[in-house]
Amino acid sequence: MKIALMGNPNVGKSTVFNALTGSNQQVGNWAGKTVERKSGVIQRANEQIELIDLPGTYSLTAYSQEEIVTREYILREKPDVVMALVDASNIERNLYLVLQILELAPRVVIGLNMMDLAKSAGIKILSNKLAQVLNVPVVEIVAAKGQGVEEFLSEAIRVGNLKKDPLRDEVPYPEELERRIQAMEHLLADTIWATKYPLRWLAIKRLERDSEIGQTWRSIPQTSKRSKNNDSCCESGDSIKYVLQDTDTLPGEDLLQAYEVEGWSKDKFEMTVADAKYQYISKILPEFRLHEGPIKRTWTDRLDEWILSPMWGYPIMLIILSLVFWCSFVASAPLGGAVSDGMAWAADMIVNLMQKVQVSDAIQSLVRDGIFAGVGAVLAFVPQIAIFFAFFSLMQDSGYLARAAFLGDRFMQLMGLHGKSFFSLVSGFGCNVPGIMATRTLEDPKDRLITMLINPLIPCVPRLGVMSAVVAAFFPGSLGAVIMISLLSLSMILVMFSAILLRRVVKQRERSAFVMELPLYHVPTLRNILLPTWQKTYSFLRRAWTFILVASIVVWVLSSYPQGVPMDETWAGKMGGWLAFIGQPLGFDWRIMVAIVFGFTAKETTLSTLGILYGVAADASQSIAQAMTGAMTPLGAYTFLVVYMLYIPCLASVVTTYKESHSIGWTSFGVAYNLLLSFVVGWLILHIGLFLGIQ
């Protein structure tokens, strides 16, 4: 059985989906789209169920990728049941999507979520009355507490096993519109499309001149032999395909042109249909929604008086983000140290065992100085990454992240960006890959592209970890905090500069307004925090044992052969010699240049490469940074930090940028821009420092 989970954004779909599927999830992208796809397998009794979590959307029109993906799935895949999740505290707006779902899917079950929040706001929903009015099963749910979720699934399974589709009343439209719908139904009744999609829905979409539907129709293999004035059929063996004589013409075009003369434009049809649905909702609403006394002010209202305040909102946001970064980078340090110590202990144990069985010195060096020195230095960042993503999931699930985007909109506007770009930039501090993927929330493709290109200028957790180790070695004490703040401030300035510059480079149409829903505050579930944290951390760990392991072995080989020669005469040394002319204007020796090159595979490998090239064992990242103190001055170290913070994004970020932008040209531009910007800014800092007499 195939079940689709649908609903508006922020109605608790993720909570329901995670509760039902647990760890049996697959996360990816919809084919040809940048919208995330989630699916999971559920086993109940003798029934195996595939649950598809469709993107949250407010309607099933064709104005965003989320709407197109959701609608196309219902049309093409025809799930056995649709589980429509509704926010009981905001039921009027949610029912608009439900009515659209009922036009497409014959088998639907409604889940009334957040019943506790509705009750606390003085709203009473009579679920049995709602079920009678729409002739749809309704289940009351409090997903955050796990109440009613299994009943919701059980009812969906029952409906999916019905022998016949239930009958429902159609939404009544104004008489004038109804005549036009019926006229279009008559024209489409004998076409192949009427056998595949609901006829009434097709007629309405044709009247609205829905462009996506036209493309959908053209792609459907046809089986009808019927011929009309504007269409014909041809047979090739047993396969009959529908052929349009005029590819720009669809059935009913003459009728639509006549309606245009009467003043019924595309927009008028669409607005009239939407208005009719809302009038119908307003008519039936009193039958099942009651107000128990005056509407009460909720905790959300009280908190938003402070959190969205022009005076207090920004200090609160600064405190929250500072706490997140402190916990991620400072409080996690002992955990990172424990991981480093554990890796060093494991390296010693394995090498001692290898010595007892008389394994060659080369293999011992590979294990100790290659694998453990490289991967061990990177695994020390796992606690930082896990803690950051846990806080990010906490802010997202609680409803605060949407408020942060609202507050950040003012700063985004200064850069010519959309307020939702704030999501991407904040995500970039954890990892640039999810930061780039977070641009999916932006409707305008130009806004998405600009935000993608500037995201790698945000230092991610691995980069911040390397930077903090170098800062601690060259700038001890409180000076280190000042240096880190100056680096992050420089990053923000260059993000703003780059965004303004790219606004001129990327030709952009009229900008879309910043419109987003602020969900109700609620206590996040432990599952909704731990599951995404584990998925993202596991993704990093998997990369550590692929990219970083291979890179560490390659670096060890390059730095160890030919054997018996000085380090600068090894293959890595010769590579560094070739790159020396690039690093010389910046004061970088060949080791730094080799580490920068290998940092392209993954930023974490920079630290492991430096550990191998400087001959530091896998005991602590701090030792690697201290080994660099003999190779450069504090000014040179600051220059390195600036270049490292800004230069070419990691391979995973480049691949993600290409997948999200579908453009090799813009991806290449982003790589070249970051590389050029980092070296230019680094050169300026070095020479300004030398001019001022700083060493």
Side-chain angles (χ1 to χ4, degrees):
M1 182 178 293
K2 190 180 294 184
I3 298 178
L5 181 61
M6 292 180 62
N8 288 178
N10 304 311
V11 296
K13 280 196 309 94
S14 295
T15 305
V16 172
F17 181 76
N18 291 338
L20 292 175
T21 60
S23 59
N24 301 319
Q25 297 182 11
Q26 289 186 343
V27 182
N29 278 12
W30 292 88
K33 302 291 183 182
T34 58
V35 179
E36 189 174 72
R37 173 193 173 104
K38 284 186 178 181
S39 63
V41 177
I42 307 170
Q43 192 72 38
R44 292 295 184 274
N46 296 324
E47 193 118 39
Q48 182 169 303
I49 301 159
E50 181 185 10
L51 182 64
I52 307 295
D53 184 13
L54 293 174
T57 178
Y58 294 105
S59 69
L60 294 179
T61 51
Y63 291 116
S64 70
Q65 292 195 46
E66 288 79 8
E67 292 174 345
I68 294 170
V69 162
T70 300
R71 192 173 73 180
E72 287 297 298
Y73 181 82
I74 300 298
L75 288 173
R76 292 177 179 272
E77 299 297 326
K78 300 186 182 300
D80 298 289
V81 189
V82 172
M83 297 171 68
L85 201 62
V86 170
D87 178 0
S89 63
N90 201 355
I91 193 169
E92 184 172 6
R93 192 205 61 224
N94 282 226
L95 284 179
Y96 181 80
L97 177 63
V98 171
L99 293 182
Q100 290 185 316
I101 294 172
L102 293 175
E103 290 178 336
L104 281 181
R107 303 188 180 201
V108 179
V109 177
I110 295 176
L112 274 180
N113 193 23
M114 305 184 190
M115 290 293 290
D116 53 340
L117 297 180
K119 184 177 180 180
S120 64
I123 300 172
K124 183 177 182 180
I125 305 295
L126 304 177
S127 56
N128 58 336
K129 289 287 186 180
L130 175 61
Q132 291 175 8
V133 170
L134 297 180
N135 194 23
V136 177
V138 177
V139 179
E140 296 184 2
I141 297 174
V142 181
K145 299 178 181 178
Q147 299 175 6
V149 176
E150 280 296 329
E151 290 81 356
F152 191 22
L153 177 63
S154 299
E155 188 63 23
I157 295 172
R158 184 192 69 79
V159 171
N161 287 322
L162 293 176
K163 294 182 179 180
K164 292 184 178 180
D165 294 337
L167 298 176
R168 294 194 193 89
D169 296 332
E170 297 173 341
V171 174
Y173 292 112
E175 183 178 351
E176 194 174 4
L177 176 61
E178 189 66 45
R179 287 201 306 269
R180 287 165 169 75
I181 293 175
Q182 292 178 8
M184 186 59 71
E185 285 180 354
H186 179 73
L187 287 174
L188 298 175
D190 294 330
T191 64
I192 186 64
W193 307 309
T195 65
K196 294 182 174 292
Y197 303 135
L199 179 59
R200 184 175 178 84
W201 180 83
L202 281 175
I204 293 172
K205 293 294 120 182
R206 185 69 187 101
L207 290 170
E208 293 176 349
R209 293 181 178 268
D210 191 302
S211 58
E212 288 292 323
I213 292 302
Q215 295 175 17
T216 299
W217 290 350
R218 289 192 180 95
S219 66
I220 297 174
Q222 304 298 323
T223 56
S224 172
K225 298 183 180 181
R226 196 172 185 84
S227 179
K228 287 285 184 184
N229 293 333
N230 64 335
D231 57 71
S232 60
C233 289
C234 58
E235 185 170 358
S236 175
D238 295 330
S239 175
I240 303 173
K241 294 186 178 180
Y242 186 86
V243 178
L244 290 170
Q245 293 178 348
D246 179 1
T247 57
D248 292 327
T249 302
L250 292 170
E253 189 66 30
D254 294 339
L255 187 61
L256 285 175
Q257 292 176 1
Y259 289 157
E260 288 277 0
V261 174
E262 296 178 16
W264 282 79
S265 63
K266 171 187 181 300
D267 291 339
K268 183 173 181 178
F269 274 115
E270 191 172 342
M271 293 301 295
T272 305
V273 169
D275 186 59
K277 283 187 170 67
Y278 275 113
Q279 287 187 19
Y280 178 68
I281 292 171
S282 299
K283 179 182 177 182
I284 64 175
L285 205 59
E287 298 185 37
F288 53 81
R289 187 184 71 176
L290 306 175
H291 290 289
E292 298 179 328
I295 298 178
K296 303 175 183 177
R297 293 180 73 246
T298 63
W299 275 106
T300 295
D301 298 326
R302 296 187 181 97
L303 287 174
D304 278 346
E305 288 182 359
W306 293 87
I307 289 176
L308 296 181
S309 165
M311 178 180 296
W312 299 107
Y314 294 102
I316 291 173
M317 181 172 68
L318 182 62
I319 291 171
I320 291 174
L321 295 181
S322 298
L323 176 64
V324 171
F325 289 124
W326 183 86
C327 291
S328 300
F329 306 132
V330 179
S332 66
L335 295 175
V339 173
S340 293
D341 294 341
M343 292 296 292
W345 176 82
D348 290 338
M349 291 289 293
I350 293 175
V351 169
N352 290 336
L353 182 62
M354 295 171 72
Q355 289 174 347
K356 290 180 180 179
V357 296
Q358 298 182 343
V359 176
S360 66
D361 292 341
I363 300 298
Q364 293 181 39
S365 176
L366 170 62
V367 172
R368 181 184 60 250
D369 304 323
I371 296 174
F372 278 91
V375 178
V378 173
L379 291 182
F381 297 126
V382 170
Q384 293 182 356
I385 292 173
I387 291 173
F388 178 85
F389 281 126
F391 272 102
F392 190 83
S393 299
L394 175 66
M395 291 191 296
Q396 189 172 39
D397 201 44
S398 66
Y400 178 74
L401 202 58
R403 271 81 180 173
F406 177 81
L407 292 170
D409 179 61
R410 180 173 298 177
F411 299 104
M412 295 299 102
Q413 295 287 351
L414 293 176
M415 295 186 280
L417 291 175
H418 199 280
K420 292 181 182 178
S421 296
F422 188 81
F423 282 117
S424 171
L425 300 182
V426 171
S427 299
F429 280 106
C431 177
N432 293 127
V433 171
I436 294 169
M437 294 173 66
T439 59
R440 298 171 180 179
T441 59
L442 295 162
E443 291 82 4
D444 192 313
K446 302 301 182 183
D447 278 337
R448 292 188 67 242
L449 179 60
I450 294 173
T451 308
M452 275 183 224
L453 294 176
I454 66 173
N455 190 280
L457 296 176
I458 299 291
C460 57
V461 165
R463 272 189 284 180
L464 288 170
V466 175
M467 290 163 60
S468 62
V470 176
V471 167
F474 283 90
F475 310 99
S478 58
L479 178 60
V482 175
I483 293 296
M484 282 298 292
I485 292 173
S486 71
L487 290 169
L488 294 175
S489 299
L490 177 62
S491 171
M492 293 299 101
I493 291 171
L494 291 175
V495 164
M496 295 183 68
F497 166 79
S498 301
I500 294 171
L501 176 65
L502 290 172
R503 285 276 295 171
R504 297 180 179 273
V505 174
V506 180
K507 301 299 180 184
Q508 191 170 24
R509 66 190 185 191
E510 184 179 351
R511 300 186 52 231
S512 59
F514 176 52
V515 179
M516 69 176 299
E517 180 186 8
L518 298 180
L520 297 175
Y521 292 108
H522 61 274
V523 179
T525 62
L526 195 61
R527 182 189 293 270
N528 280 4
I529 295 174
L530 296 182
L531 196 57
T533 300
W534 163 246
Q535 289 171 343
K536 292 179 174 65
T537 306
Y538 175 73
S539 176
F540 174 81
L541 286 169
R542 186 173 55 185
R543 199 166 49 146
W545 292 107
T546 52
F547 277 121
I548 300 167
L549 176 61
V550 172
S552 297
I553 294 174
V554 169
V555 172
W556 177 84
V557 171
L558 292 176
S559 61
S560 301
Y561 290 90
Q563 290 185 327
V565 300
M567 179 70 77
D568 57 357
E569 294 182 14
T570 60
W571 294 333
K574 292 178 180 179
M575 178 191 297
W578 300 333
L579 299 170
F581 76 96
I582 299 176
Q584 188 174 5
L586 297 168
F588 296 163
D589 69 1
W590 66 270
R591 293 179 180 84
I592 299 295
M593 292 307 301
V594 171
I596 286 177
V597 169
F598 276 93
F600 173 64
T601 58
K603 294 299 183 183
E604 307 90 325
T605 61
T606 302
L607 196 61
S608 61
T609 302
L610 289 172
I612 295 170
L613 295 179
Y614 280 106
V616 178
D619 52 359
S621 60
Q622 182 72 12
S623 300
I624 298 171
Q626 288 173 346
M628 296 171 61
T629 57
M632 62 177 66
T633 64
L635 177 59
Y638 191 83
T639 304
F640 166 74
L641 288 167
V642 170
V643 173
Y644 177 75
M645 179 177 68
L646 301 174
Y647 90 111
I648 187 170
C650 68
L651 179 61
S653 296
V654 173
V655 172
T656 305
T657 299
Y658 172 71
K659 288 182 177 180
E660 297 295 316
S661 66
H662 303 291
S663 171
I664 190 67
W666 282 115
T667 303
S668 302
F669 173 84
V671 169
Y673 177 77
N674 280 63
L675 195 60
L676 180 63
L677 182 67
S678 64
F679 276 81
V680 168
V681 175
W683 185 88
L684 288 173
I685 286 176
L686 176 66
H687 286 79
I688 291 173
L690 292 174
F691 177 77
L692 296 175
I694 302 173
Q695 296 296 324

